[in-house]
Short mmCIF file of all heavy atoms in Angstrom, two decimals:
data_model
loop_
_atom_site.label_atom_id
_atom_site.label_comp_id
_atom_site.label_asym_id
_atom_site.label_seq_id
_atom_site.Cartn_x
_atom_site.Cartn_y
_atom_site.Cartn_z
N GLY A 316 89.60 104.57 103.10
CA GLY A 316 91.03 104.93 103.12
C GLY A 316 91.76 103.96 102.22
O GLY A 316 91.12 103.11 101.58
N CYS A 317 93.10 104.11 102.09
CA CYS A 317 93.86 103.21 101.24
C CYS A 317 94.93 102.52 102.05
O CYS A 317 95.47 103.08 103.01
CB CYS A 317 94.55 104.00 100.13
SG CYS A 317 93.40 104.83 99.07
N GLY A 318 95.28 101.29 101.67
CA GLY A 318 96.42 100.62 102.29
C GLY A 318 96.26 100.49 103.79
O GLY A 318 95.22 100.05 104.30
N THR A 319 97.29 100.87 104.50
CA THR A 319 97.28 100.80 105.92
C THR A 319 96.13 101.59 106.55
O THR A 319 95.50 101.12 107.51
CB THR A 319 98.61 101.33 106.49
OG1 THR A 319 99.63 100.38 106.10
CG2 THR A 319 98.65 101.46 107.97
N ALA A 320 95.82 102.73 105.98
CA ALA A 320 94.73 103.55 106.54
C ALA A 320 93.38 102.79 106.43
O ALA A 320 92.56 102.83 107.36
CB ALA A 320 94.67 104.86 105.81
N TYR A 321 93.20 102.06 105.34
CA TYR A 321 92.03 101.22 105.16
C TYR A 321 91.98 100.11 106.23
O TYR A 321 90.95 99.84 106.84
CB TYR A 321 91.99 100.67 103.78
CG TYR A 321 90.98 99.52 103.62
CD1 TYR A 321 89.58 99.83 103.72
CD2 TYR A 321 91.41 98.24 103.41
CE1 TYR A 321 88.67 98.75 103.59
CE2 TYR A 321 90.48 97.22 103.31
CZ TYR A 321 89.10 97.49 103.39
OH TYR A 321 88.20 96.44 103.27
N HIS A 322 93.18 99.58 106.51
CA HIS A 322 93.23 98.52 107.55
C HIS A 322 92.85 99.07 108.91
O HIS A 322 92.24 98.39 109.72
CB HIS A 322 94.60 97.85 107.53
CG HIS A 322 94.86 97.13 106.29
ND1 HIS A 322 96.13 96.80 105.85
CD2 HIS A 322 94.02 96.55 105.38
CE1 HIS A 322 96.06 96.14 104.72
NE2 HIS A 322 94.80 95.98 104.39
N ILE A 363 90.14 108.10 106.25
CA ILE A 363 91.38 108.01 107.05
C ILE A 363 92.61 108.11 106.12
O ILE A 363 92.66 107.47 105.07
CB ILE A 363 91.42 106.61 107.72
CG1 ILE A 363 90.12 106.37 108.48
CG2 ILE A 363 92.62 106.51 108.70
CD1 ILE A 363 89.89 104.92 108.84
N SER A 364 93.57 109.01 106.50
CA SER A 364 94.78 109.11 105.65
C SER A 364 95.91 109.77 106.47
O SER A 364 95.68 110.79 107.08
CB SER A 364 94.47 109.97 104.40
OG SER A 364 95.64 110.26 103.73
N GLN A 365 97.01 109.11 106.50
CA GLN A 365 98.20 109.69 107.16
C GLN A 365 98.51 111.02 106.53
O GLN A 365 98.63 112.03 107.22
CB GLN A 365 99.35 108.71 107.03
CG GLN A 365 100.63 109.09 107.82
CD GLN A 365 101.49 110.16 107.09
OE1 GLN A 365 101.89 111.14 107.73
NE2 GLN A 365 101.68 109.99 105.84
N SER A 366 98.69 111.01 105.23
CA SER A 366 99.13 112.26 104.51
C SER A 366 97.99 113.21 104.35
O SER A 366 98.26 114.43 104.21
CB SER A 366 99.70 111.87 103.15
OG SER A 366 98.66 111.24 102.37
N GLY A 367 96.79 112.75 104.26
CA GLY A 367 95.67 113.62 103.96
C GLY A 367 95.67 114.06 102.45
O GLY A 367 94.91 114.92 102.07
N GLU A 368 96.58 113.48 101.67
CA GLU A 368 96.69 113.86 100.27
C GLU A 368 96.47 112.71 99.29
O GLU A 368 96.54 112.95 98.10
CB GLU A 368 98.08 114.49 100.02
CG GLU A 368 98.44 115.72 100.80
CD GLU A 368 97.67 116.98 100.33
OE1 GLU A 368 97.05 116.93 99.29
OE2 GLU A 368 97.72 117.97 101.07
N THR A 369 96.23 111.52 99.78
CA THR A 369 96.10 110.36 98.90
C THR A 369 94.89 110.63 97.95
O THR A 369 93.74 110.87 98.45
CB THR A 369 95.83 109.08 99.74
OG1 THR A 369 97.02 108.92 100.55
CG2 THR A 369 95.55 107.88 98.87
N ALA A 370 95.20 110.57 96.64
CA ALA A 370 94.16 111.01 95.69
C ALA A 370 92.85 110.29 95.84
O ALA A 370 91.76 110.90 95.87
CB ALA A 370 94.72 110.86 94.28
N THR A 372 91.53 108.80 98.40
CA THR A 372 90.83 109.11 99.65
C THR A 372 90.21 110.49 99.61
O THR A 372 89.07 110.74 99.98
CB THR A 372 91.82 108.96 100.84
OG1 THR A 372 92.42 107.68 100.76
CG2 THR A 372 91.06 109.04 102.16
N LEU A 397 92.55 116.72 102.58
CA LEU A 397 91.47 116.01 103.25
C LEU A 397 90.92 116.88 104.44
O LEU A 397 89.66 117.00 104.61
CB LEU A 397 91.96 114.68 103.76
CG LEU A 397 90.90 113.76 104.29
CD1 LEU A 397 89.87 113.36 103.27
CD2 LEU A 397 91.52 112.44 104.81
N GLU A 412 105.96 111.11 109.86
CA GLU A 412 106.33 109.74 109.57
C GLU A 412 107.11 109.74 108.29
O GLU A 412 106.57 110.07 107.24
CB GLU A 412 105.04 108.88 109.49
CG GLU A 412 105.32 107.40 109.53
CD GLU A 412 104.03 106.57 109.54
OE1 GLU A 412 103.26 106.69 108.53
OE2 GLU A 412 103.77 105.93 110.53
N CYS A 414 109.36 107.02 107.13
CA CYS A 414 109.45 105.69 106.47
C CYS A 414 108.21 105.50 105.59
O CYS A 414 107.08 105.85 105.99
CB CYS A 414 109.48 104.60 107.58
SG CYS A 414 109.49 102.96 106.86
N VAL A 415 108.45 104.98 104.42
CA VAL A 415 107.30 104.78 103.49
C VAL A 415 106.28 103.82 104.14
O VAL A 415 105.05 104.00 103.99
CB VAL A 415 107.81 104.24 102.14
CG1 VAL A 415 106.68 103.70 101.30
CG2 VAL A 415 108.54 105.33 101.38
N ALA A 416 106.78 102.83 104.86
CA ALA A 416 105.86 101.91 105.53
C ALA A 416 105.29 102.55 106.80
O ALA A 416 106.04 103.03 107.68
CB ALA A 416 106.60 100.64 105.94
N ALA A 417 104.00 102.61 106.89
CA ALA A 417 103.31 103.30 107.98
C ALA A 417 103.42 102.41 109.26
O ALA A 417 103.20 101.19 109.21
CB ALA A 417 101.86 103.49 107.66
N THR A 418 103.74 103.00 110.40
CA THR A 418 103.82 102.28 111.65
C THR A 418 103.05 103.02 112.71
O THR A 418 101.86 102.68 113.01
CB THR A 418 105.26 102.11 112.11
OG1 THR A 418 105.91 103.34 112.11
CG2 THR A 418 106.03 101.04 111.31
N SER A 420 101.60 105.84 112.55
CA SER A 420 100.35 106.54 112.12
C SER A 420 99.20 105.53 112.15
O SER A 420 98.04 105.92 112.44
CB SER A 420 100.49 107.09 110.67
OG SER A 420 100.71 106.02 109.73
N GLN A 424 95.89 106.11 114.24
CA GLN A 424 94.58 106.08 113.58
C GLN A 424 93.62 105.17 114.39
O GLN A 424 92.44 105.53 114.62
CB GLN A 424 94.66 105.57 112.17
CG GLN A 424 95.32 106.56 111.21
CD GLN A 424 95.85 105.96 109.93
OE1 GLN A 424 95.81 104.73 109.75
NE2 GLN A 424 96.39 106.79 109.06
N GLU A 491 96.98 93.93 107.82
CA GLU A 491 98.01 94.93 107.97
C GLU A 491 99.43 94.26 108.03
O GLU A 491 100.39 94.70 107.43
CB GLU A 491 97.76 95.84 109.17
CG GLU A 491 98.87 96.85 109.47
CD GLU A 491 99.12 97.81 108.32
OE1 GLU A 491 98.40 97.82 107.31
OE2 GLU A 491 100.13 98.54 108.44
N LEU A 494 100.41 93.24 104.54
CA LEU A 494 100.79 94.42 103.74
C LEU A 494 102.21 94.88 104.17
O LEU A 494 103.05 95.17 103.27
CB LEU A 494 99.80 95.54 103.88
CG LEU A 494 100.18 96.87 103.24
CD1 LEU A 494 100.21 96.74 101.75
CD2 LEU A 494 99.22 97.96 103.63
N LYS A 495 102.42 94.98 105.45
CA LYS A 495 103.71 95.51 105.91
C LYS A 495 104.83 94.57 105.49
O LYS A 495 105.88 95.04 105.01
CB LYS A 495 103.68 95.61 107.46
CG LYS A 495 104.54 96.61 108.03
CD LYS A 495 103.86 97.94 108.26
CE LYS A 495 103.11 98.48 107.06
NZ LYS A 495 102.36 99.66 107.28
N GLU A 498 105.45 94.76 101.69
CA GLU A 498 105.96 96.11 101.31
C GLU A 498 107.46 96.25 101.57
O GLU A 498 108.16 96.81 100.75
CB GLU A 498 105.19 97.09 102.18
CG GLU A 498 105.40 98.55 101.85
CD GLU A 498 104.53 99.48 102.73
OE1 GLU A 498 103.99 99.01 103.77
OE2 GLU A 498 104.42 100.65 102.37
N PRO A 609 111.10 101.15 100.26
CA PRO A 609 110.72 99.92 99.53
C PRO A 609 110.70 100.24 98.02
O PRO A 609 110.32 101.31 97.60
CB PRO A 609 109.33 99.56 100.03
CG PRO A 609 109.09 100.40 101.21
CD PRO A 609 109.98 101.59 101.15
N LEU A 612 107.77 102.10 95.52
CA LEU A 612 106.74 102.75 96.31
C LEU A 612 107.09 104.21 96.64
O LEU A 612 108.23 104.63 96.53
CB LEU A 612 106.49 101.99 97.59
CG LEU A 612 105.98 100.59 97.46
CD1 LEU A 612 105.79 99.96 98.81
CD2 LEU A 612 104.71 100.50 96.68
N ALA A 613 106.08 104.96 97.00
CA ALA A 613 106.29 106.31 97.60
C ALA A 613 105.25 106.45 98.70
O ALA A 613 104.26 105.77 98.72
CB ALA A 613 106.05 107.34 96.50
N LYS A 614 105.52 107.36 99.63
CA LYS A 614 104.63 107.41 100.76
C LYS A 614 103.28 108.02 100.49
O LYS A 614 102.27 107.59 100.96
CB LYS A 614 105.32 108.23 101.87
CG LYS A 614 104.58 108.10 103.17
CD LYS A 614 105.44 108.31 104.39
CE LYS A 614 104.73 108.11 105.65
NZ LYS A 614 104.48 106.65 105.92
N SER A 615 103.33 109.11 99.68
CA SER A 615 102.05 109.84 99.54
C SER A 615 101.64 109.75 98.07
O SER A 615 102.31 110.25 97.18
CB SER A 615 102.35 111.30 99.94
OG SER A 615 101.32 112.08 99.72
N VAL A 616 100.56 109.01 97.86
CA VAL A 616 100.13 108.70 96.45
C VAL A 616 99.08 109.70 96.02
O VAL A 616 97.89 109.49 96.16
CB VAL A 616 99.67 107.26 96.37
CG1 VAL A 616 99.39 106.87 94.88
CG2 VAL A 616 100.75 106.31 96.92
C1 AGP B 5 101.56 101.76 104.31
O1 AGP B 5 102.61 101.07 104.85
C2 AGP B 5 101.68 102.12 102.88
N1 AGP B 5 102.82 102.80 102.59
C3 AGP B 5 100.42 102.58 102.22
O2 AGP B 5 99.54 101.49 102.18
C4 AGP B 5 99.68 103.82 102.81
O3 AGP B 5 99.08 103.46 104.01
C5 AGP B 5 98.59 104.26 101.78
O4 AGP B 5 99.24 104.62 100.61
C6 AGP B 5 97.70 105.37 102.29
O5 AGP B 5 98.45 106.52 102.61
P1 AGP B 5 97.75 107.66 103.45
O6 AGP B 5 97.51 107.12 104.78
O7 AGP B 5 98.76 108.81 103.41
O8 AGP B 5 96.48 108.03 102.75
#
Side-chain angles (χ1 to χ4, degrees):
C317 299
T319 291
Y321 166 69
H322 293 157
I363 309 164
S364 170
Q365 185 282 132
S366 61
E368 297 289 349
T369 298
T372 310
L397 188 60
E412 193 175 64
C414 177
V415 167
T418 50
S420 64
Q424 286 160 0
E491 176 57 8
L494 172 65
K495 207 93 310 173
E498 187 178 15
L612 298 180
K614 190 154 186 74
S615 175
V616 185

